[in-house]
Structures are given as C-alpha cells and as structure tokens.
Amino acid sequence: MNALILILKAAVVTVLVASLAEALVLSWLRGRANYDWKAAGISVFDFLVREYPIRILLPAAFYTDAMGWLYAHRLWTLPMNHWSGWVACFIGQEFCYYWYHRAAHRVRWFWCTHAIHHSPNQLNLSAAYRFGWTGRLTGSLLFFMLAPLLGMPPGIILLMLALNLLYQFWIHATWIPRLGPLEWILNTPSAHRVHHASNLEYLDGNYGGVLIVFDRLFGTYIAERADLPCRYGLVTPQTTYNVLEIEFAHWRSLWRDLRSARHLREAAGYFFMPPGWSPDGPGETTEALRRRAAIAAPSAATGERGVAFVDSVAAELPTAQ
C-alpha cells in the first residue's frame, strides 16, 4: 500500500519528463514542425492547474464522506488481508470506470469536461494528462459509489482509480504497435488510438481503463484497422490555442442550448442525451452520422456503377468525326 502511494507521488514528475522526452525524440525524427508544441504546452498548463490549485480547492476527500457512509452500510466485507479482496477491488474499480468513461462520451453533461481530453489533434503522451478543470464539479465519482456499497474500501478504490489513470499514460503513444494476445485483455496503445480517433468508424468505442474485457463484454470494442488510419481530435476539430476556449467552449455551447430550450424535456435532453442531440431532428450524434453515412454509401456505390456503365456504353459507340 505504501509503495503504491510512493509511485503516485513520483508520477507527476515522471509523466512530465517522459512526455518531454517523447516530444524531443518525435521532433527529431519527424521534424519540429510535425510535433504540436503549443498543444503540448496547453496540456501541461491544464495538468498543473488541475493538480495544484484545483486539487487544493476541491480535494477528492470532498466525495469520500458519501463513499464512507456507503461503506459503513456495505452489503458485505471483502477480506483486504487476502489477495482475493484486492483482486475484487481492482475488478470493481475497472467496472465502475468503464461505465463512467462510457457516460463521459454518451451524456453531454459529462462530455463537456471529457471533450477537453479529446481536443488535441495529435495523439501523444502530453495528451494523456489533458483532463479539463471541471471534472470534480460534474459528479464523475458518483459512478464509483457502488464499490463501497459492495464492501470495497473507499481509500483503496480511489487509489486504484489513480493507478488506473497512471496506467493509461503510456497508451497515448502512436509509435507502439499492436501487442498480440494482450489486445484481448488489456487496454493497449492500439485500442486507445481507436478511442481517440474521430473517424466515424471508430467513434464511441474502447472505454476501458486497464482492462479491455468490459468493452468486449458490452459490445463497445473496436479494433484498429490497418486500412483506416486514425484521425485524432474532435469530430469538428478544435484548432484554437486559447486555453480558456479549450476549457470552456463546450460548457458555453451547452448553456446556449439550454437557453434556447422551449420546455423542461428539451433542457433535460441537452443535459443527458449524447453530444450532438437535437430536439428537432436527427442531430449530429454518432448514430445519426452513421445512419446518414450508411444511406450515402449505397448511393455513392450506385453512382460509381452508373458512371462505369456509361463509360462502357460509350466505348462501344462509334467515335464521332
């Protein structure tokens, strides 16, 4: 337990040094113009503001009273003096994280914060710690409240969540290949590249933390394809380097939609439906975009066949003099 806490204390320096080392190597190999140093700087600034002033003002302990109350009324007690209790806590935390992360993409209220993590148009180690500043205000730890009720100590769950996020640092690399059989069990760089991709075929997949098994169980696993390179960033790319715009643009958009809501049901839709939802039509949700693409694809194929048919007929006609 003490060793794990020491690892977390050293993590701040470790991730910053590692991401800087990657930046220097990639800039050397690919050319300085091909590495977005400005975006990396914004990620560092986001990280430092979140880790120091925000952590001091809104410590995680803000939530532990509720978790402590649930643990005091737990349904049973796990044997934390035995390896099986730690395994149960690990799996329980991974299960809770999966559903939090899925909601972060599928519920606009949570997406307003999580979108900041997906805003870099390059995937690299610096993108791993761009999380946004409003996460603790959105109630994201509510997804982990089931754990103490099932006998998992709150302190251990929060520790494992921190280790979960630390594990995910290295999987934000584009230069690590697929890892063979490990792809069936673990969240790997390949699986996480898909998660960060804005290609329509890759949207809303691979929500796991350390494990990828819950994605496979619940049908959200999407494999990286050799014939479809990942395009990183948001579906509508965010090109600004204004840190306040990056941090609050999605909240401002939500506020604008809420002000336009004609009744409570519409307001609730803007809060809890997926990003891109509209009360007046199909909107721009992942499902709507895929339906439009599916309709367009046969039309495009028919058009291509039609052009080929016309060309073949034209070839049979006598040449005009």
Side-chain angles (χ1 to χ4, degrees):
M1 183 75 168
N2 291 333
L4 296 178
I5 294 173
L6 286 175
I7 290 172
L8 289 176
K9 287 182 177 179
V12 172
V13 175
T14 302
V15 300
L16 291 175
V17 170
S19 62
L20 176 60
E22 183 201 48
L24 292 171
V25 171
L26 292 181
S27 294
W28 176 59
L29 293 175
R30 302 174 184 176
R32 188 179 186 283
N34 294 316
Y35 185 89
D36 196 338
W37 282 92
K38 289 183 179 179
I42 288 172
S43 294
V44 171
F45 185 69
D46 172 277
F47 176 75
L48 294 176
V49 170
R50 190 182 64 254
E51 285 299 307
Y52 294 105
I54 291 179
R55 185 179 290 274
I56 292 169
L57 294 172
L58 291 173
F62 178 77
Y63 293 97
T64 55
D65 286 344
M67 296 181 81
W69 186 89
L70 289 170
Y71 184 67
H73 296 81
R74 59 191 178 275
L75 299 178
W76 55 78
T77 300
L78 292 176
M80 297 312 300
N81 58 348
H82 189 265
W83 64 265
S84 60
W86 287 86
V87 170
C89 284
F90 170 70
I91 294 174
Q93 179 274 142
E94 286 291 308
F95 179 80
C96 293
Y97 180 84
Y98 170 85
W99 287 106
Y100 149 71
H101 199 183
R102 187 165 176 171
H105 282 258
R106 302 295 297 160
V107 177
R108 190 178 178 187
W109 170 256
F110 297 112
W111 173 248
C112 285
T113 295
H114 193 62
I116 297 159
H117 181 61
H118 285 263
S119 61
N121 296 310
Q122 290 183 358
L123 185 65
N124 50 52
L125 293 181
S126 73
Y129 45 75
R130 187 191 291 196
F131 285 154
W133 298 337
T134 56
R136 295 192 180 193
L137 296 174
T138 60
S140 55
L141 276 181
L142 291 173
F143 290 89
F144 297 85
M145 294 297 175
L146 177 65
L149 187 62
L150 297 180
M152 304 175 196
I156 291 176
I157 291 300
L158 293 176
L159 174 65
M160 287 190 170
L161 175 58
L163 291 170
N164 173 334
L165 297 175
L166 181 59
Y167 168 89
Q168 291 186 61
F169 171 69
W170 75 283
I171 64 175
H172 287 78
T174 57
W175 43 271
I176 299 176
R178 287 177 62 85
L179 300 179
L182 293 178
E183 301 287 343
W184 285 91
I185 303 168
L186 298 176
N187 190 11
T188 64
S190 175
H192 208 60
R193 287 193 288 269
V194 168
H195 177 73
H196 271 267
S198 58
N199 313 57
L200 188 57
E201 295 86 347
Y202 288 150
L203 291 180
D204 291 340
N206 301 356
Y207 298 119
V210 176
L211 302 176
I212 204 70
V213 292
F214 292 116
D215 286 282
R216 293 184 178 277
L217 284 172
F218 297 116
T220 53
Y221 176 74
I222 302 173
E224 186 179 22
R225 289 165 42 182
D227 64 327
L228 188 62
C230 294
R231 181 179 66 254
Y232 301 112
L234 301 172
V235 172
T236 301
Q238 197 168 36
T239 56
T240 182
Y241 292 104
N242 183 324
V243 66
L244 295 179
E245 180 71 13
I246 292 169
E247 294 288 340
F248 300 112
H250 290 272
W251 288 110
R252 190 174 66 248
S253 176
L254 174 59
W255 174 245
R256 186 170 56 246
D257 286 340
L258 288 172
R259 290 181 63 186
S260 71
R262 292 162 293 194
H263 44 72
L264 185 59
R265 185 175 180 182
E266 279 191 8
Y270 285 127
F271 263 109
F272 300 114
M273 295 299 285
W277 175 84
S278 171
D280 299 318
E284 300 292 327
T285 64
T286 299
E287 292 79 10
L289 293 173
R290 284 177 174 158
R291 279 195 297 270
R292 285 202 286 271
I295 292 170
S299 300
T302 301
E304 290 170 2
R305 288 196 298 271
V307 170
F309 175 74
V310 170
D311 288 345
S312 66
V313 171
E316 298 298 324
L317 295 176
T319 304
Q321 299 297 320

